[in-house]
Amino acid sequence: MSDCVYWNCGAGLVKKLSTVKDLLKGKTQACFVSECDIVKNKCLNVFSQKNFGLALANTVESHGKARIMCWFKNDVFERVSDLELNGNDIIVLRSLERNFLLVGCYRPFKLFPGETHKSNFDRLMANLKLITQTKLEIVLVGDLNINLLSNNVSYFRAALETWADDNMLFQLVDTQTRQRMVAENLQTSLLDVVFTSMQCINVRLAFSHLSDHLQIFVSLPCTPKPHGKESIEFLDWTQYSAHAIRQLFKFHFRGINIHLKDTNLINNRITTAICQSLNVLLPKRRVTLRNSSQVLSPKIITLRNKKSKAFKTWTRFKTPDALATLKGASSALAKEVKKQKNVFIQSSLRKDTKTFWSTMNKFMGKNTAPSQESFICGTNEIVDPVAIANLFCDHFNSKVMDLYITSACDNFVIPDLQSNFERDPFISESELVDAFKHLKPSKAQGFDELPSKVIKHLAPEIFQATLWLFNNVIESGKIPNAWKVSRIVPIHKKGDKKNVCNYRPISNISGLSKIFERCIINKLRKIDPDVLFGPNQHAYKPGSSTTTACLTIQDYIASSLDTGRVVLLYSIDLTSAFDLIRPSILVKIMLDIGIDRNLIRVVLNFLTDRTGFVDLKGKNSNIAKIPIGCVQGSVLGLVLFNIYVNNLQTIVGEDTFCVSYADDSYIALSCLPNDTNTTINTLTEISRKHLDWLQSLGMICNASKSDFVVFGHHGPPLNIEIGGESIVSKSQIKILGVMFTSHLKWNTHANQIISKCNRMSYMLRYLRTFLNDAQHRRVIFSHFISVVFYCSPVWAGCLSFQDNRRLNSLLYKVIRLNCRDFSKILSNREICNKTSIRSFNSARIVNDALMLHSLCTNPTNTLLTIRLMQNSVSFSRFPNKIAFHDQSRKRIGKNSFANRAKYISELIPHEWVTINSKTFKHRIKTSVPIFIQ
């Protein structure tokens, strides 16, 4: 059986007849077109097509207008009017060659007089039930205007799914169109459907710029679909240009009435105009892969068959000639496979930047989205992509709900947050300009399928409309519904890749929502960071990072050990901390800080009524509600979490050392060696207060994963009680990715870096065949050097001579790959100068100098900055010169960054304090040689 076609032409058919004629070419036997709007007594000659009969829905007689019509070949189909109830936009055809029913239907949003949506839908469902009572096989195509990815399961959707389940019908359309406006409602999901009870039906979709619906091609093959044929959907960027998208947007976007205050409608009109422009320049295309393997070619298949025959001949006769033939066939096959693999890699590298880095990440072993074809659920193996997506969705949702029930706590009664706008919370033009600048074009698109790159290109055109939208959000306190839907992508953490428990969810949200979040962050940053986040917090704070957090901990430990004291430090592991934020408690904390009530109201609305669905290779799961927590993947989520836990220093006590980075916290006390037992009791009491406070916030502590280390202790291991469990002190602890040992030796951390980078160096050598010098250098910096020098100001200046030499040798080995000096003809100095890649000692000095400048010029009042200022000496003859003195008494003191500052400041210009960071970075890189032995 050949194709039948269904197309929602989008309000009116007369001007689109040429498209219909194209659809009727080839092997098409039936073509349904909805929203044709054919009125009664209209001359139908203009619609007549040779060799095709024409059928109109019976509503043309009962209501004076038909909204669906059909062309079909009389020798293939016949119309069955008895199965079409009066008043429905439905056409039923029976196949003459094979006894099955082909049904085309349409459920409109614009109703006839005297109808309601429910009565119209119930009558259509009665018609569908009548059709299924015939017990014939059925293929139903149409637009039912039922949002299959809606936030809530509506009456219409529930009835449709029940009817489909009762009659064992399957929905085959799994591609969603871009969002568009339908009766002032935002529709972004599967409105067009293909329900069938038949086997081996293929569905293909195509885009037409004349309508916001996809054209659906349904084929009924006589034989099953060949194994290995797989179709993928991608965005066709070939016709895209920034100038063209701006011109199209100006055509589709007619502006926004200043009296329009509904944030949903404003957002819909902006995004709909963008989508209409994208549908022309950036359509979705679906292609079929030739083979399941990316490198399988006809030549490889032929050589594989030859090898198989040669092997059978050799096993039968065991002659030298047969063995030689087998070896020759094996060698030819191996060469061809290698050649085709190289061709595939090179073709991937020649594509856009996103494809290039996606390929590089796979080679370098970076965590990516699931690539498995099957997953384990209990004892069953699931292979259906949609079922796998639902499996991930159910896992993520059930995990959060179980933790939510386990971590029950007292909620805060939210007061009225409406205020008189005394502090002017509205977003200014300069703040919006800054937010657009921070939008990264490479970020993944959200639920609305609007690429960040396109939004950034359209910034001048949508600026005023976006400003109007954002300020209406602040005035009304209502976030657009489209911003509250997250497209969740599972990312592998560790362990078995077939186990969904080894994945974590990352949410992709709307590009406009990201810009709005940046504006809210800029508003919050006007508050003192120490008041907003707490003095101990280093995450998402100006001038702070994981490096400053580790340096602060290292300086405290080293300074204590230098005076003969020991340091007792513990850290508590939190389970899914970001997912357990209670919006009501966050509101109370923000009110205590003194944040404007209008901003609090917006943040509260941002966190409530959120939903999400898992996107797995284009297959979407059901939508699940997200009752609590902040969005993992949003820029505002981390800021809100820092506000949520900003009171930690007060809880543990002002005299207790405390450093936090988001949900990672490290609490420490120092004491004399003879007072360790008393200090352990004190630290146990602090941990109890710490846990009680976390429990009041609804957090869950995993005591079994908590760590306890005693620095400078030479006796047997000590014990501390945390959360009712006895924790034995360890000899080392990983703090934000840096391995601290109990005596502040860095050989363990150096060994981990060398082990990890040695595996990378092998892949970098392999990739050297495919990459040019510039590409290979970028991969070295992004994957190799970023690992080698992570938090280098903490540990690189304290390495032993042997560890320093090992890291230098590892770096030189990779640099030689970039300059193709495989025979080691060039010296180490020559390869560094040729590639402009610094030696380990040179890069260490540059990184230390940049960190010193940041700490001394940044207004953030961190413990480390205070220590640096205490060790500084100014010269009256040179007002801009700062010198540092070393206060250490033992070798361990060199672990203190404050004690190392003297050596660093001697290498940089004396006026460095007054230079801005950009200028200082340029000067330090030009003044420090690329190669230092």
Side-chain angles (χ1 to χ4, degrees):
M1 183 60 65
S2 300
D3 291 336
C4 72
V5 184
Y6 175 83
W7 181 40
N8 185 325
C9 67
L13 180 62
V14 176
K15 296 182 179 180
K16 304 170 185 177
L17 277 178
S18 59
T19 302
V20 175
K21 292 179 181 179
D22 292 336
L23 295 176
L24 294 176
K25 293 179 180 178
K27 298 181 179 181
T28 302
Q29 305 293 341
C31 178
F32 296 92
V33 177
S34 62
E35 289 195 12
C36 55
D37 296 339
I38 304 299
V39 296
K40 187 177 181 180
N41 299 326
K42 184 178 182 65
C43 180
L44 300 180
N45 292 335
V46 67
F47 301 110
S48 299
Q49 298 296 321
K50 187 178 181 180
N51 300 325
F52 283 90
L54 183 63
L56 297 177
N58 57 31
T59 52
V60 72
E61 297 294 337
S62 60
H63 293 86
K65 180 191 288 188
R67 288 164 171 161
I68 187 171
M69 61 192 306
C70 175
W71 288 264
F72 62 95
K73 289 192 173 181
N74 294 313
D75 58 342
V76 178
F77 291 103
E78 65 175 357
R79 186 173 183 180
V80 189
S81 302
D82 296 340
L83 295 177
E84 300 171 5
L85 297 182
N86 189 35
N88 289 326
D89 289 294
I90 191 168
I91 298 174
V92 182
L93 303 177
R94 185 198 299 270
S95 171
L96 299 177
E97 298 178 358
R98 181 177 175 184
N99 198 20
F100 75 92
L101 298 178
L102 179 62
V103 183
C105 64
Y106 175 68
R107 189 179 78 88
F109 263 110
K110 295 181 179 179
L111 302 174
F112 290 118
E115 285 188 324
T116 65
H117 282 289
K118 187 175 184 301
S119 65
N120 179 280
F121 176 78
D122 290 341
R123 186 172 60 248
L124 178 61
M125 288 305 302
N127 205 152
L128 297 181
K129 291 177 181 178
L130 175 65
I131 293 172
T132 52
Q133 286 175 3
T134 62
K135 303 301 181 181
L136 296 176
E137 291 184 307
I138 181 176
V139 177
L140 182 144
V141 296
D143 175 13
L144 300 180
N145 275 315
I146 296 174
N147 194 342
L148 298 185
L149 284 179
S150 61
N151 300 352
N152 299 308
V153 178
S154 63
Y155 167 80
F156 307 104
R157 175 180 164 188
L160 181 65
E161 292 179 345
T162 302
W163 167 77
D165 292 340
D166 291 343
N167 295 280
M168 300 183 66
L169 299 175
F170 304 97
Q171 217 290 85
L172 301 184
V173 178
D174 56 5
T175 299
Q176 59 185 30
T177 58
R178 291 192 182 91
Q179 69 175 10
R180 69 271 193 188
M181 288 293 296
V182 179
E184 297 297 334
N185 291 315
L186 182 67
Q187 302 291 348
T188 322
S189 60
L190 309 178
L191 301 178
D192 303 306
V193 297
V194 175
F195 281 104
T196 182
S197 59
M198 301 176 65
Q199 301 294 323
C200 305
I201 289 185
N202 297 331
V203 173
R204 180 173 61 87
L205 301 110
F207 168 78
S208 173
H209 67 276
L210 296 175
S211 171
D212 56 0
H213 286 258
L214 298 175
Q215 296 171 349
I216 303 176
F217 296 84
V218 181
S219 179
L220 308 174
C222 297
T223 58
K225 185 179 178 180
H227 178 70
K229 297 294 183 180
E230 180 184 1
S231 62
I232 60 172
E233 186 180 88
F234 69 100
L235 296 178
D236 185 3
W237 290 84
T238 55
Q239 303 297 324
Y240 177 82
S241 72
H243 174 73
I245 197 70
R246 290 184 183 126
Q247 297 301 317
L248 282 168
F249 180 79
K250 290 177 182 178
F251 174 77
H252 290 291
F253 187 64
R254 302 302 184 185
I256 296 175
N257 191 322
I258 60 173
H259 300 292
L260 184 61
K261 299 290 186 177
D262 191 319
T263 56
N264 282 307
L265 294 181
I266 300 173
N267 179 68
N268 293 347
R269 293 188 179 180
I270 296 173
T271 53
T272 300
I274 299 176
C275 288
Q276 290 174 333
S277 306
L278 285 176
N279 285 340
V280 177
L281 281 185
L282 198 61
K284 287 184 176 183
R285 299 202 184 278
R286 183 172 286 272
V287 297
T288 302
L289 301 178
R290 292 182 177 179
N291 298 286
S292 58
S293 173
Q294 295 165 323
V295 298
L296 197 61
S297 67
K299 189 173 181 180
I300 290 178
I301 295 174
T302 302
L303 291 173
R304 192 166 61 182
N305 292 336
K306 287 184 178 180
K307 179 184 176 182
S308 178
K309 292 178 181 179
F311 179 76
K312 291 179 181 178
T313 303
W314 178 77
T315 54
R316 182 178 179 183
F317 298 105
K318 300 287 185 177
T319 61
D321 292 340
L323 181 60
T325 303
L326 175 60
K327 289 182 177 180
S330 300
S331 177
L333 177 61
K335 289 181 180 179
E336 184 62 25
V337 169
K338 184 177 180 180
K339 177 183 175 181
Q340 291 297 330
K341 185 180 291 186
N342 293 348
V343 169
F344 168 73
I345 295 172
Q346 290 173 349
S347 65
S348 300
L349 299 180
R350 285 194 296 266
K351 295 181 180 179
D352 56 279
T353 304
K354 184 176 181 179
T355 305
F356 173 84
W357 284 112
S358 176
T359 305
M360 290 300 101
N361 291 340
K362 288 179 182 179
F363 275 110
M364 302 306 294
K366 189 175 181 180
N367 289 348
T368 56
S371 58
Q372 301 297 312
E373 298 297 332
S374 63
F375 285 82
I376 303 298
C377 178
T379 58
N380 301 323
E381 185 174 10
I382 300 177
V383 295
D384 179 58
V386 176
I388 294 175
N390 284 320
L391 180 64
F392 273 105
C393 183
D394 294 341
H395 167 68
F396 294 146
N397 190 44
S398 61
K399 179 181 178 182
V400 173
M401 293 306 298
D402 291 344
L403 294 174
Y404 175 51
I405 296 172
T406 304
S407 61
C409 61
D410 295 332
N411 285 320
F412 172 68
V413 179
I414 301 175
D416 182 18
L417 298 175
Q418 183 73 36
S419 78
N420 298 322
F421 300 99
E422 297 176 354
R423 301 185 187 179
D424 187 20
F426 295 106
I427 297 169
S428 64
E429 292 188 359
S430 60
E431 290 173 333
L432 185 57
V433 169
D434 178 72
F436 268 108
K437 287 181 180 179
H438 278 86
L439 181 64
K440 296 181 180 179
S442 59
K443 288 297 183 181
Q445 59 194 16
F447 173 60
D448 53 12
E449 297 188 301
L450 300 183
S452 298
K453 177 180 179 180
V454 174
I455 295 177
K456 203 170 182 72
H457 285 161
L458 289 174
E461 282 69 27
I462 66 175
F463 185 85
Q464 292 299 330
T466 306
L467 185 63
W468 179 254
L469 168 62
F470 289 178
N471 284 326
N472 272 284
V473 170
I474 291 178
E475 183 178 2
S476 65
K478 295 181 180 179
I479 300 288
N481 294 332
W483 295 3
K484 294 187 177 186
V485 184
S486 302
R487 184 173 65 88
I488 301 171
V489 179
I491 300 297
H492 181 251
K493 295 185 296 185
K494 58 182 179 180
D496 184 8
K497 289 188 175 182
K498 287 192 174 185
N499 189 347
V500 295
C501 299
N502 295 327
Y503 289 80
R504 61 186 176 93
I506 294 296
S507 298
N508 295 314
I509 56 179
S510 167
L512 292 179
S513 178
K514 295 175 185 176
I515 298 173
F516 179 75
E517 290 173 35
R518 178 64 62 178
C519 293
I520 297 298
I521 291 173
N522 291 338
K523 291 288 185 184
L524 294 175
R525 277 184 171 174
K526 295 179 180 179
I527 304 173
D528 184 359
D530 287 346
V531 175
L532 189 65
F533 299 147
N536 60 291
Q537 184 62 252
H538 287 254
Y540 215 82
K541 202 173 183 180
S544 299
S545 62
T546 55
T547 304
T548 59
C550 290
L551 277 175
T552 304
I553 296 173
Q554 179 196 30
D555 185 83
Y556 174 78
I557 297 171
S559 302
S560 300
L561 297 184
D562 217 24
T563 58
R565 301 171 71 86
V566 296
V567 177
L568 293 81
L569 180 145
Y570 78 84
S571 69
I572 292 179
D573 180 77
L574 298 180
T575 303
S576 300
F578 286 81
D579 295 328
L580 296 178
I581 287 182
R582 267 62 172 183
S584 60
I585 297 178
L586 177 63
V587 168
K588 180 180 183 303
I589 296 171
M590 297 178 78
L591 286 172
D592 294 340
I593 294 174
I595 298 175
D596 186 273
R597 284 175 171 252
N598 294 289
L599 292 180
I600 298 176
R601 185 174 56 155
V602 172
V603 169
L604 176 62
N605 191 266
F606 175 79
L607 293 178
T608 54
D609 298 325
R610 296 198 67 92
T611 56
F613 65 94
V614 173
D615 182 355
L616 194 64
K617 297 182 180 180
K619 308 297 182 182
N620 298 332
S621 71
N622 297 325
I623 281 192
K625 293 184 178 180
I626 305 175
I628 59 172
C630 58
V631 185
Q632 293 196 43
S634 71
V635 291
L636 184 58
L638 182 57
V639 174
L640 297 180
F641 181 83
N642 289 347
I643 296 174
Y644 197 69
V645 294
N646 71 343
N647 203 32
L648 177 58
Q649 187 70 66
T650 305
I651 298 300
V652 299
E654 298 296 334
D655 297 332
T656 304
F657 176 81
C658 175
V659 166
S660 297
Y661 190 89
D663 59 332
D664 295 312
S665 299
Y666 304 92
I667 315 298
L669 288 176
S670 65
C671 66
L672 294 173
N674 296 332
D675 296 334
T676 53
N677 291 332
T678 303
T679 307
I680 286 178
N681 294 333
T682 304
L683 200 61
T684 300
E685 180 63 22
I686 291 174
S687 69
R688 185 189 61 78
K689 295 179 181 178
H690 188 182
L691 291 175
D692 290 343
W693 173 70
L694 289 174
Q695 186 175 1
S696 69
L697 295 178
M699 297 291 164
I700 296 179
C701 168
N702 190 350
S704 62
K705 292 186 178 180
S706 299
D707 290 324
F708 174 54
V709 179
V710 182
F711 293 91
H713 179 65
H714 299 279
L718 303 177
N719 291 25
I720 187 174
E721 185 175 323
I722 298 178
E725 292 194 19
S726 179
I727 309 297
V728 181
S729 63
K730 300 179 181 178
S731 60
Q732 60 190 27
I733 181 175
K734 181 171 282 189
I735 299 178
L736 300 175
V738 180
M739 187 61 72
F740 283 66
T741 61
S742 59
H743 300 290
L744 287 189
K745 302 295 183 182
W746 301 101
N747 57 318
T748 304
H749 185 68
N751 290 336
Q752 288 187 351
I753 294 175
I754 292 170
S755 175
K756 185 175 183 178
C757 290
N758 271 330
R759 296 192 294 270
M760 289 188 190
S761 63
Y762 170 80
M763 192 53 64
L764 288 170
R765 186 181 184 93
Y766 174 72
L767 290 173
R768 195 66 185 92
T769 308
F770 312 104
L771 304 177
N772 59 38
D773 293 348
Q775 290 175 330
H776 192 257
R777 190 171 182 273
R778 288 201 300 269
V779 176
I780 288 175
F781 272 96
S782 62
H783 286 281
F784 184 85
I785 291 182
S786 62
V787 173
V788 173
F789 290 102
Y790 173 72
C791 286
S792 63
V794 179
W795 53 269
C798 312
L799 289 174
S800 65
F801 174 77
Q802 289 182 343
D803 290 333
N804 189 294
R805 185 173 62 180
R806 292 167 64 202
L807 285 169
N808 261 312
S809 300
L810 179 65
L811 187 59
Y812 293 147
K813 180 171 71 172
V814 173
I815 296 175
R816 289 187 188 278
L817 294 178
N818 186 250
C819 62
R820 300 179 185 275
D821 184 28
F822 304 112
S823 302
K824 297 185 178 181
I825 299 174
L826 301 177
S827 65
N828 293 335
R829 184 185 299 274
E830 289 172 333
I831 61 174
C832 288
N833 290 328
K834 184 177 179 179
T835 59
S836 298
I837 300 178
R838 294 184 177 273
S839 66
F840 182 81
N841 290 328
S842 174
R844 173 180 62 82
I845 293 172
V846 170
N847 293 339
D848 287 355
L850 293 174
M851 179 54 60
L852 178 64
H853 180 270
S854 174
L855 291 170
C856 291
T857 58
N858 184 52
T860 304
N861 188 20
T862 64
L863 297 175
L864 191 55
T865 303
I866 295 173
R867 281 267 297 155
L868 283 171
M869 294 300 101
Q870 289 174 346
N871 282 24
S872 65
V873 178
S874 60
F875 293 90
S876 58
R877 293 180 58 190
F878 304 100
N880 295 329
K881 182 177 177 61
I882 292 181
F884 297 88
H885 52 86
D886 187 350
Q887 293 183 336
S888 62
R889 300 177 183 178
K890 302 177 183 178
R891 293 177 60 189
I892 196 68
K894 289 302 178 183
N895 268 278
S896 170
F897 193 77
N899 293 336
R900 278 184 277 150
K902 177 181 179 181
Y903 169 72
I904 302 170
S905 63
E906 292 173 352
L907 300 174
I908 57 181
H910 69 272
E911 73 277 6
W912 61 274
V913 180
T914 59
I915 302 175
N916 62 51
S917 58
K918 186 175 181 179
T919 305
F920 178 78
K921 186 176 182 179
H922 173 73
R923 289 195 183 184
I924 197 66
K925 286 188 174 183
T926 54
S927 61
V928 177
I930 289 180
F931 178 82
I932 297 178
Q933 185 64 38

